[in-house]
Amino acid sequence: MWQQRFLNSSAYARGSIIIIWCLWCVIIAGSIVKAPVVTYVLFGAGVGILLLGTPAYAWVCAAILAAVFSRLAVGTGWVPGILNFFHFPLTLGAAFVAATNSGPRISIVQPIATGLIGILLLSFVSWILNGGEFFRPLLTWLVFCEPFLIVYALLRMPPPLNKNRLLWGLVIMIPLVQLPLGVWQALTVGLGDHVQGTFVRMGAGAHVAGAVALIGVLICIVKGLWSAILVRRLLWLFGGILLFIFPVLADAKQAIIAFLPALILLMITLKLLPMNRLIVVLTSIGIAILVAFSYYPPLQRSTDWSLVGGGVLGKVQGFAIVANRLSDNPGFWLLGLGPGNSVSRVALMGLQTYVKSSSPVYLLGLSAAPTTQKIWAMTSSNWLFASSSVWSGISSWLGLFGDLGLVGLFLYLWMSWKLWHALKGYTRWEAAIAKAVMVMSGLLGAMYSWLEEPGFTLVVATVVGLGVTACKEEDDSVQDPERP
């Protein structure tokens, strides 16, 4: 740790460090009035340097907390909007600290590292060939690969057992925090989009908070099934039912629809558990879902098949626009239209109607590509497509394919398949949850730009990373039966 190194260094070195740190503090104090954004950047950089000696899991925790709670902090008006983007350097810090670690690692680390480097190189190659602002390739890589960086950090530098429990506690705490906030928002402001949990003042805040709450539901179900003590089993199950209330209040239909296949997979994965436990859980969750769909009108619309059939055309037309543009050049199909040139989150950042003028992203001066403008105009011109993001021409899978072509899509799916394969065949409850959230996030990625939403993807990445490390622990215990 850097603290021990500091104490062991010479008096001259300690004095120099103290002087440099004092000067740093003076600069921060001097800029806080005239340039608050610069102040926070300088402060963050200083803290980051001090944290370089901390393990990767600490950086992961900080990145998740920043992604989930930053908007709540910014909403108070006490901190600038740039705090919403602090999860990026924290995630990079986690990956950097893990990469420089010489300790044990999990074998799947190498394919993940290869995929991350491959997408980074592809982003720059595609940018050079297609053009665009300087920040586009790095932003595109960060937005799509941030969850894989979290997974890489957890697998390259696996946390000890007690820190694993800490991370699981953080993962379940985040959904639990959404519930009281959501109930309060529903009572004071109203239902639907007003119920945003910690993701306040965010366009899709209700949906993101709802999806995070449903991850908590999956965890509660598994923990309830796995518990051998009846009281704990009932408490976990009751917690899952309570958490399911949040996405209903928030009208997070997308998240609920994607949650159902994930729940089915979870039940199939846990088929080795006693049948009486499965029956109790399935009955309870089934009743909760049935009541929600029977008495809450917004959810009833998700089963209006004529509406669904018309809405799906938005996705079809969005794909057709991208495919027509890719057909202009055979190389586009392989390398894409360029970072931020289709319907990825970076592409949408160039639309003036999408980015607020007060957002730090606005200062980057990104412009909208013709394909992005065409799909946005198509979505806006149809009342059904514009009524819900699920019917728009925007989705993460289409954005990834449009920006980086078949090569980028292949690398992303290859890393995902490697993680899935690492979880396959294991009976650990952590592996069951990891596979379920991967299915849920994959389905959501087809509905909208969910794979690029850090408040959701960083939680998913942490669950997946912890699932893979748990499988590694199972292998070690089999190879060494005397291991506790």
mmCIF file of all heavy atoms in Angstrom, residues 287-325:
data_model
loop_
_atom_site.group_PDB
_atom_site.id
_atom_site.type_symbol
_atom_site.label_atom_id
_atom_site.label_comp_id
_atom_site.label_asym_id
_atom_site.label_seq_id
_atom_site.Cartn_x
_atom_site.Cartn_y
_atom_site.Cartn_z
ATOM 1 N N ILE A 287 -48.106 -14.878 -8.714
ATOM 2 C CA ILE A 287 -49.246 -14.084 -8.244
ATOM 3 C C ILE A 287 -48.933 -12.590 -8.335
ATOM 4 O O ILE A 287 -49.774 -11.789 -8.768
ATOM 5 C CB ILE A 287 -49.600 -14.485 -6.797
ATOM 6 C CG1 ILE A 287 -50.180 -15.898 -6.769
ATOM 7 C CG2 ILE A 287 -50.591 -13.493 -6.189
ATOM 8 C CD1 ILE A 287 -50.416 -16.432 -5.372
ATOM 9 N N ALA A 288 -47.705 -12.213 -7.948
ATOM 10 C CA ALA A 288 -47.317 -10.798 -8.006
ATOM 11 C C ALA A 288 -47.352 -10.275 -9.445
ATOM 12 O O ALA A 288 -47.846 -9.172 -9.707
ATOM 13 C CB ALA A 288 -45.910 -10.614 -7.412
ATOM 14 N N ILE A 289 -46.844 -11.066 -10.388
ATOM 15 C CA ILE A 289 -46.840 -10.650 -11.793
ATOM 16 C C ILE A 289 -48.265 -10.586 -12.340
ATOM 17 O O ILE A 289 -48.639 -9.648 -13.054
ATOM 18 C CB ILE A 289 -45.977 -11.614 -12.629
ATOM 19 C CG1 ILE A 289 -44.498 -11.498 -12.220
ATOM 20 C CG2 ILE A 289 -46.137 -11.334 -14.124
ATOM 21 C CD1 ILE A 289 -43.603 -12.533 -12.857
ATOM 22 N N LEU A 290 -49.083 -11.591 -11.990
ATOM 23 C CA LEU A 290 -50.464 -11.628 -12.461
ATOM 24 C C LEU A 290 -51.260 -10.427 -11.951
ATOM 25 O O LEU A 290 -52.013 -9.795 -12.709
ATOM 26 C CB LEU A 290 -51.129 -12.928 -12.007
ATOM 27 C CG LEU A 290 -52.583 -13.141 -12.478
ATOM 28 C CD1 LEU A 290 -52.636 -13.198 -14.000
ATOM 29 C CD2 LEU A 290 -53.145 -14.424 -11.870
ATOM 30 N N VAL A 291 -51.092 -10.090 -10.687
ATOM 31 C CA VAL A 291 -51.788 -8.933 -10.113
ATOM 32 C C VAL A 291 -51.336 -7.646 -10.803
ATOM 33 O O VAL A 291 -52.162 -6.774 -11.130
ATOM 34 C CB VAL A 291 -51.525 -8.855 -8.592
ATOM 35 C CG1 VAL A 291 -52.022 -7.521 -8.025
ATOM 36 C CG2 VAL A 291 -52.204 -10.015 -7.886
ATOM 37 N N ALA A 292 -50.032 -7.524 -11.037
ATOM 38 C CA ALA A 292 -49.509 -6.319 -11.675
ATOM 39 C C ALA A 292 -50.080 -6.141 -13.083
ATOM 40 O O ALA A 292 -50.501 -5.044 -13.472
ATOM 41 C CB ALA A 292 -47.978 -6.371 -11.733
ATOM 42 N N PHE A 293 -50.111 -7.221 -13.873
ATOM 43 C CA PHE A 293 -50.614 -7.130 -15.234
ATOM 44 C C PHE A 293 -52.143 -7.006 -15.281
ATOM 45 O O PHE A 293 -52.687 -6.505 -16.257
ATOM 46 C CB PHE A 293 -50.169 -8.349 -16.050
ATOM 47 C CG PHE A 293 -48.797 -8.217 -16.640
ATOM 48 C CD1 PHE A 293 -47.672 -8.549 -15.894
ATOM 49 C CD2 PHE A 293 -48.616 -7.756 -17.932
ATOM 50 C CE1 PHE A 293 -46.395 -8.422 -16.434
ATOM 51 C CE2 PHE A 293 -47.347 -7.632 -18.477
ATOM 52 C CZ PHE A 293 -46.235 -7.960 -17.724
ATOM 53 N N SER A 294 -52.828 -7.450 -14.238
ATOM 54 C CA SER A 294 -54.287 -7.425 -14.243
ATOM 55 C C SER A 294 -54.858 -6.080 -13.817
ATOM 56 O O SER A 294 -55.896 -5.654 -14.321
ATOM 57 C CB SER A 294 -54.828 -8.523 -13.314
ATOM 58 O OG SER A 294 -54.422 -9.803 -13.755
ATOM 59 N N TYR A 295 -54.166 -5.381 -12.926
ATOM 60 C CA TYR A 295 -54.747 -4.175 -12.335
ATOM 61 C C TYR A 295 -53.983 -2.895 -12.651
ATOM 62 O O TYR A 295 -54.394 -1.826 -12.212
ATOM 63 C CB TYR A 295 -54.846 -4.340 -10.814
ATOM 64 C CG TYR A 295 -55.805 -5.428 -10.411
ATOM 65 C CD1 TYR A 295 -55.340 -6.698 -10.075
ATOM 66 C CD2 TYR A 295 -57.175 -5.190 -10.379
ATOM 67 C CE1 TYR A 295 -56.214 -7.707 -9.707
ATOM 68 C CE2 TYR A 295 -58.063 -6.192 -10.008
ATOM 69 C CZ TYR A 295 -57.576 -7.451 -9.681
ATOM 70 O OH TYR A 295 -58.460 -8.446 -9.325
ATOM 71 N N TYR A 296 -52.881 -3.011 -13.390
ATOM 72 C CA TYR A 296 -52.120 -1.790 -13.713
ATOM 73 C C TYR A 296 -52.172 -1.572 -15.223
ATOM 74 O O TYR A 296 -51.510 -2.287 -15.985
ATOM 75 C CB TYR A 296 -50.681 -1.931 -13.227
ATOM 76 C CG TYR A 296 -49.921 -0.625 -13.187
ATOM 77 C CD1 TYR A 296 -50.459 0.490 -12.551
ATOM 78 C CD2 TYR A 296 -48.678 -0.502 -13.780
ATOM 79 C CE1 TYR A 296 -49.772 1.688 -12.508
ATOM 80 C CE2 TYR A 296 -47.981 0.690 -13.736
ATOM 81 C CZ TYR A 296 -48.533 1.791 -13.097
ATOM 82 O OH TYR A 296 -47.860 2.974 -13.057
ATOM 83 N N PRO A 297 -52.959 -0.592 -15.697
ATOM 84 C CA PRO A 297 -53.182 -0.392 -17.141
ATOM 85 C C PRO A 297 -51.921 -0.267 -17.986
ATOM 86 O O PRO A 297 -51.863 -0.826 -19.083
ATOM 87 C CB PRO A 297 -54.025 0.893 -17.185
ATOM 88 C CG PRO A 297 -54.725 0.924 -15.868
ATOM 89 C CD PRO A 297 -53.764 0.341 -14.881
ATOM 90 N N PRO A 298 -50.885 0.490 -17.549
ATOM 91 C CA PRO A 298 -49.687 0.590 -18.401
ATOM 92 C C PRO A 298 -49.078 -0.767 -18.756
ATOM 93 O O PRO A 298 -48.605 -0.969 -19.875
ATOM 94 C CB PRO A 298 -48.734 1.436 -17.544
ATOM 95 C CG PRO A 298 -49.621 2.253 -16.678
ATOM 96 C CD PRO A 298 -50.777 1.357 -16.357
ATOM 97 N N LEU A 299 -49.079 -1.699 -17.802
ATOM 98 C CA LEU A 299 -48.525 -3.019 -18.086
ATOM 99 C C LEU A 299 -49.430 -3.812 -19.022
ATOM 100 O O LEU A 299 -48.956 -4.647 -19.795
ATOM 101 C CB LEU A 299 -48.320 -3.798 -16.785
ATOM 102 C CG LEU A 299 -47.147 -3.345 -15.908
ATOM 103 C CD1 LEU A 299 -47.098 -4.172 -14.633
ATOM 104 C CD2 LEU A 299 -45.829 -3.453 -16.654
ATOM 105 N N GLN A 300 -50.727 -3.560 -18.964
ATOM 106 C CA GLN A 300 -51.660 -4.274 -19.829
ATOM 107 C C GLN A 300 -51.389 -3.960 -21.303
ATOM 108 O O GLN A 300 -51.629 -4.794 -22.175
ATOM 109 C CB GLN A 300 -53.099 -3.907 -19.464
ATOM 110 C CG GLN A 300 -53.532 -4.420 -18.099
ATOM 111 C CD GLN A 300 -54.900 -3.927 -17.694
ATOM 112 O OE1 GLN A 300 -55.495 -3.087 -18.374
ATOM 113 N NE2 GLN A 300 -55.425 -4.444 -16.587
ATOM 114 N N ARG A 301 -50.888 -2.763 -21.564
ATOM 115 C CA ARG A 301 -50.610 -2.387 -22.957
ATOM 116 C C ARG A 301 -49.493 -3.220 -23.566
ATOM 117 O O ARG A 301 -49.389 -3.328 -24.789
ATOM 118 C CB ARG A 301 -50.269 -0.891 -23.035
ATOM 119 C CG ARG A 301 -51.467 0.022 -22.809
ATOM 120 C CD ARG A 301 -51.172 1.435 -23.274
ATOM 121 N NE ARG A 301 -50.204 2.091 -22.416
ATOM 122 C CZ ARG A 301 -50.512 2.811 -21.352
ATOM 123 N NH1 ARG A 301 -51.783 2.942 -20.982
ATOM 124 N NH2 ARG A 301 -49.592 3.397 -20.618
ATOM 125 N N SER A 302 -48.649 -3.805 -22.731
ATOM 126 C CA SER A 302 -47.552 -4.622 -23.260
ATOM 127 C C SER A 302 -48.051 -5.933 -23.853
ATOM 128 O O SER A 302 -47.307 -6.621 -24.544
ATOM 129 C CB SER A 302 -46.524 -4.905 -22.160
ATOM 130 O OG SER A 302 -47.112 -5.649 -21.115
ATOM 131 N N THR A 303 -49.300 -6.293 -23.580
ATOM 132 C CA THR A 303 -49.881 -7.501 -24.165
ATOM 133 C C THR A 303 -50.886 -7.173 -25.271
ATOM 134 O O THR A 303 -51.613 -8.058 -25.712
ATOM 135 C CB THR A 303 -50.568 -8.340 -23.073
ATOM 136 O OG1 THR A 303 -51.567 -7.537 -22.413
ATOM 137 C CG2 THR A 303 -49.561 -8.822 -22.047
ATOM 138 N N ASP A 304 -50.931 -5.920 -25.694
ATOM 139 C CA ASP A 304 -51.766 -5.525 -26.832
ATOM 140 C C ASP A 304 -50.977 -5.845 -28.106
ATOM 141 O O ASP A 304 -50.135 -5.065 -28.550
ATOM 142 C CB ASP A 304 -52.083 -4.025 -26.742
ATOM 143 C CG ASP A 304 -53.026 -3.559 -27.837
ATOM 144 O OD1 ASP A 304 -53.181 -4.280 -28.846
ATOM 145 O OD2 ASP A 304 -53.601 -2.466 -27.705
ATOM 146 N N TRP A 305 -51.268 -6.992 -28.712
ATOM 147 C CA TRP A 305 -50.424 -7.488 -29.793
ATOM 148 C C TRP A 305 -50.510 -6.648 -31.061
ATOM 149 O O TRP A 305 -49.550 -6.584 -31.834
ATOM 150 C CB TRP A 305 -50.766 -8.941 -30.093
ATOM 151 C CG TRP A 305 -50.550 -9.820 -28.899
ATOM 152 C CD1 TRP A 305 -51.488 -10.505 -28.195
ATOM 153 C CD2 TRP A 305 -49.296 -10.058 -28.236
ATOM 154 N NE1 TRP A 305 -50.913 -11.167 -27.128
ATOM 155 C CE2 TRP A 305 -49.563 -10.916 -27.132
ATOM 156 C CE3 TRP A 305 -47.991 -9.641 -28.461
ATOM 157 C CZ2 TRP A 305 -48.572 -11.344 -26.271
ATOM 158 C CZ3 TRP A 305 -47.000 -10.086 -27.587
ATOM 159 C CH2 TRP A 305 -47.293 -10.918 -26.524
ATOM 160 N N SER A 306 -51.627 -5.977 -31.300
ATOM 161 C CA SER A 306 -51.705 -5.081 -32.452
ATOM 162 C C SER A 306 -50.784 -3.881 -32.250
ATOM 163 O O SER A 306 -50.122 -3.414 -33.192
ATOM 164 C CB SER A 306 -53.151 -4.607 -32.652
ATOM 165 O OG SER A 306 -53.610 -3.893 -31.507
ATOM 166 N N LEU A 307 -50.721 -3.395 -31.006
ATOM 167 C CA LEU A 307 -49.800 -2.299 -30.681
ATOM 168 C C LEU A 307 -48.358 -2.755 -30.791
ATOM 169 O O LEU A 307 -47.505 -2.047 -31.345
ATOM 170 C CB LEU A 307 -50.097 -1.789 -29.269
ATOM 171 C CG LEU A 307 -49.265 -0.606 -28.775
ATOM 172 C CD1 LEU A 307 -49.629 0.653 -29.535
ATOM 173 C CD2 LEU A 307 -49.488 -0.400 -27.275
ATOM 174 N N VAL A 308 -48.096 -3.950 -30.279
ATOM 175 C CA VAL A 308 -46.730 -4.494 -30.335
ATOM 176 C C VAL A 308 -46.284 -4.686 -31.779
ATOM 177 O O VAL A 308 -45.158 -4.338 -32.159
ATOM 178 C CB VAL A 308 -46.654 -5.826 -29.568
ATOM 179 C CG1 VAL A 308 -45.302 -6.500 -29.793
ATOM 180 C CG2 VAL A 308 -46.891 -5.608 -28.082
ATOM 181 N N GLY A 309 -47.191 -5.227 -32.613
ATOM 182 C CA GLY A 309 -46.844 -5.459 -34.017
ATOM 183 C C GLY A 309 -46.506 -4.176 -34.751
ATOM 184 O O GLY A 309 -45.548 -4.127 -35.542
ATOM 185 N N GLY A 310 -47.279 -3.116 -34.487
ATOM 186 C CA GLY A 310 -46.979 -1.835 -35.127
ATOM 187 C C GLY A 310 -45.709 -1.209 -34.594
ATOM 188 O O GLY A 310 -44.942 -0.591 -35.343
ATOM 189 N N GLY A 311 -45.450 -1.382 -33.285
ATOM 190 C CA GLY A 311 -44.267 -0.779 -32.692
ATOM 191 C C GLY A 311 -42.972 -1.409 -33.153
ATOM 192 O O GLY A 311 -41.958 -0.728 -33.326
ATOM 193 N N VAL A 312 -43.001 -2.723 -33.388
ATOM 194 C CA VAL A 312 -41.792 -3.427 -33.822
ATOM 195 C C VAL A 312 -41.284 -2.879 -35.149
ATOM 196 O O VAL A 312 -40.075 -2.938 -35.448
ATOM 197 C CB VAL A 312 -42.068 -4.941 -33.914
ATOM 198 C CG1 VAL A 312 -40.932 -5.669 -34.628
ATOM 199 C CG2 VAL A 312 -42.250 -5.525 -32.524
ATOM 200 N N LEU A 313 -42.177 -2.317 -35.940
ATOM 201 C CA LEU A 313 -41.761 -1.743 -37.230
ATOM 202 C C LEU A 313 -40.733 -0.635 -37.042
ATOM 203 O O LEU A 313 -39.925 -0.382 -37.937
ATOM 204 C CB LEU A 313 -42.979 -1.205 -37.980
ATOM 205 C CG LEU A 313 -43.955 -2.248 -38.549
ATOM 206 C CD1 LEU A 313 -45.159 -1.555 -39.188
ATOM 207 C CD2 LEU A 313 -43.242 -3.128 -39.574
ATOM 208 N N GLY A 314 -40.761 0.034 -35.882
ATOM 209 C CA GLY A 314 -39.759 1.067 -35.625
ATOM 210 C C GLY A 314 -38.356 0.491 -35.613
ATOM 211 O O GLY A 314 -37.424 1.076 -36.173
ATOM 212 N N LYS A 315 -38.198 -0.663 -34.976
ATOM 213 C CA LYS A 315 -36.890 -1.320 -34.954
ATOM 214 C C LYS A 315 -36.505 -1.805 -36.352
ATOM 215 O O LYS A 315 -35.349 -1.694 -36.764
ATOM 216 C CB LYS A 315 -36.917 -2.511 -33.992
ATOM 217 C CG LYS A 315 -37.197 -2.158 -32.547
ATOM 218 C CD LYS A 315 -36.127 -1.238 -31.989
ATOM 219 C CE LYS A 315 -36.378 -0.956 -30.513
ATOM 220 N NZ LYS A 315 -35.515 0.133 -29.997
ATOM 221 N N VAL A 316 -37.490 -2.342 -37.089
ATOM 222 C CA VAL A 316 -37.217 -2.854 -38.437
ATOM 223 C C VAL A 316 -36.774 -1.721 -39.351
ATOM 224 O O VAL A 316 -35.801 -1.850 -40.104
ATOM 225 C CB VAL A 316 -38.463 -3.561 -39.005
ATOM 226 C CG1 VAL A 316 -38.231 -3.966 -40.452
ATOM 227 C CG2 VAL A 316 -38.818 -4.777 -38.154
ATOM 228 N N GLN A 317 -37.465 -0.602 -39.288
ATOM 229 C CA GLN A 317 -37.096 0.526 -40.139
ATOM 230 C C GLN A 317 -35.747 1.114 -39.745
ATOM 231 O O GLN A 317 -34.968 1.546 -40.604
ATOM 232 C CB GLN A 317 -38.183 1.597 -40.072
ATOM 233 C CG GLN A 317 -39.491 1.179 -40.717
ATOM 234 C CD GLN A 317 -40.530 2.289 -40.706
ATOM 235 O OE1 GLN A 317 -40.196 3.467 -40.660
ATOM 236 N NE2 GLN A 317 -41.806 1.912 -40.737
ATOM 237 N N GLY A 318 -35.448 1.132 -38.446
ATOM 238 C CA GLY A 318 -34.133 1.610 -38.011
ATOM 239 C C GLY A 318 -33.019 0.729 -38.557
ATOM 240 O O GLY A 318 -31.994 1.228 -39.039
ATOM 241 N N PHE A 319 -33.213 -0.596 -38.492
ATOM 242 C CA PHE A 319 -32.217 -1.518 -39.044
ATOM 243 C C PHE A 319 -32.086 -1.335 -40.550
ATOM 244 O O PHE A 319 -30.969 -1.387 -41.093
ATOM 245 C CB PHE A 319 -32.602 -2.953 -38.722
ATOM 246 C CG PHE A 319 -31.684 -3.975 -39.350
ATOM 247 C CD1 PHE A 319 -30.457 -4.263 -38.777
ATOM 248 C CD2 PHE A 319 -32.041 -4.628 -40.522
ATOM 249 C CE1 PHE A 319 -29.599 -5.187 -39.361
ATOM 250 C CE2 PHE A 319 -31.196 -5.555 -41.108
ATOM 251 C CZ PHE A 319 -29.971 -5.836 -40.522
ATOM 252 N N ALA A 320 -33.213 -1.106 -41.245
ATOM 253 C CA ALA A 320 -33.176 -0.936 -42.702
ATOM 254 C C ALA A 320 -32.361 0.291 -43.086
ATOM 255 O O ALA A 320 -31.594 0.266 -44.069
ATOM 256 C CB ALA A 320 -34.598 -0.826 -43.245
ATOM 257 N N ILE A 321 -32.502 1.376 -42.315
ATOM 258 C CA ILE A 321 -31.737 2.600 -42.607
ATOM 259 C C ILE A 321 -30.240 2.345 -42.445
ATOM 260 O O ILE A 321 -29.425 2.741 -43.291
ATOM 261 C CB ILE A 321 -32.205 3.752 -41.692
ATOM 262 C CG1 ILE A 321 -33.631 4.173 -42.056
ATOM 263 C CG2 ILE A 321 -31.250 4.945 -41.801
ATOM 264 C CD1 ILE A 321 -34.239 5.171 -41.090
ATOM 265 N N VAL A 322 -29.870 1.671 -41.360
ATOM 266 C CA VAL A 322 -28.450 1.368 -41.130
ATOM 267 C C VAL A 322 -27.927 0.418 -42.201
ATOM 268 O O VAL A 322 -26.821 0.601 -42.738
ATOM 269 C CB VAL A 322 -28.253 0.771 -39.724
ATOM 270 C CG1 VAL A 322 -26.818 0.267 -39.552
ATOM 271 C CG2 VAL A 322 -28.581 1.793 -38.652
ATOM 272 N N ALA A 323 -28.714 -0.613 -42.542
ATOM 273 C CA ALA A 323 -28.282 -1.591 -43.551
ATOM 274 C C ALA A 323 -28.091 -0.930 -44.912
ATOM 275 O O ALA A 323 -27.123 -1.250 -45.638
ATOM 276 C CB ALA A 323 -29.306 -2.720 -43.648
ATOM 277 N N ASN A 324 -28.971 -0.021 -45.290
ATOM 278 C CA ASN A 324 -28.829 0.684 -46.569
ATOM 279 C C ASN A 324 -27.553 1.512 -46.601
ATOM 280 O O ASN A 324 -26.860 1.575 -47.620
ATOM 281 C CB ASN A 324 -30.040 1.583 -46.805
ATOM 282 C CG ASN A 324 -31.287 0.788 -47.158
ATOM 283 O OD1 ASN A 324 -31.195 -0.328 -47.673
ATOM 284 N ND2 ASN A 324 -32.457 1.347 -46.887
ATOM 285 N N ARG A 325 -27.242 2.144 -45.472
ATOM 286 C CA ARG A 325 -26.024 2.947 -45.406
ATOM 287 C C ARG A 325 -24.787 2.047 -45.447
ATOM 288 O O ARG A 325 -23.795 2.381 -46.106
ATOM 289 C CB ARG A 325 -26.038 3.769 -44.119
ATOM 290 C CG ARG A 325 -24.829 4.675 -43.962
ATOM 291 C CD ARG A 325 -24.879 5.838 -44.934
ATOM 292 N NE ARG A 325 -23.719 6.700 -44.766
ATOM 293 C CZ ARG A 325 -22.560 6.559 -45.424
ATOM 294 N NH1 ARG A 325 -22.413 5.554 -46.297
ATOM 295 N NH2 ARG A 325 -21.566 7.390 -45.211
#
